[in-house]
Amino acid sequence: MRIIGLKAYQKGYTGFLENEEAYVFFNTTKGKYRPVQAYPKSDFESFHHFTTLMSKFVTSAFFLKTPVDISAIDMGTLDRIHMNRSGDIQN
């Protein structure tokens, strides 16, 4: 699985992750991962198709230039990705 989009807010994060079957929009509530909506990969022609369509709802800066492989979704992992993403934002 990998993080493909991430945005910090006052007490957590919202983002997109990609797994084998779907793109999953998520947020963190009280430091815990909560999936909000899953979009089956089969509904999209490609990763680029997905990010282009989602850019109608979120800014392109929301998506990472280079997705980050992760083994677990926790606040420490999200904090590290957020801290390391300066210079990694799509324009």
Side-chain angles (χ1 to χ4, degrees):
M1 127 178 90
R2 61 188 191 160
I3 297 290
I4 60 173
L6 190 66
K7 180 178 180 181
Y9 61 93
Q10 187 175 6
K11 294 185 180 184
Y13 296 97
T14 188
F16 274 106
L17 68 86
E18 176 185 18
N19 61 34
E20 288 185 27
E21 297 92 28
Y23 302 105
V24 180
F25 181 69
F26 72 89
N27 66 36
T28 56
T29 304
K30 297 181 182 180
K32 296 190 184 221
Y33 165 80
R34 185 173 76 84
V36 176
Q37 177 72 40
Y39 301 90
K41 286 179 139 181
S42 60
D43 289 351
F44 303 93
E45 295 171 11
S46 64
F47 176 77
H48 177 73
H49 181 222
F50 173 76
T51 59
T52 299
L53 285 174
M54 288 299 122
S55 290
K56 294 178 182 179
F57 306 102
V58 297
T59 67
S60 60
F62 183 82
F63 292 101
L64 303 174
K65 265 189 199 175
T66 306
V68 178
D69 290 323
I70 59 170
S71 57
I73 302 172
D74 56 52
M75 291 304 286
T77 299
L78 298 176
D79 288 342
R80 280 190 299 280
I81 293 168
H82 177 68
M83 295 295 287
N84 291 327
R85 81 178 288 212
S86 59
D88 189 38
I89 298 173
Q90 288 185 0
N91 292 320

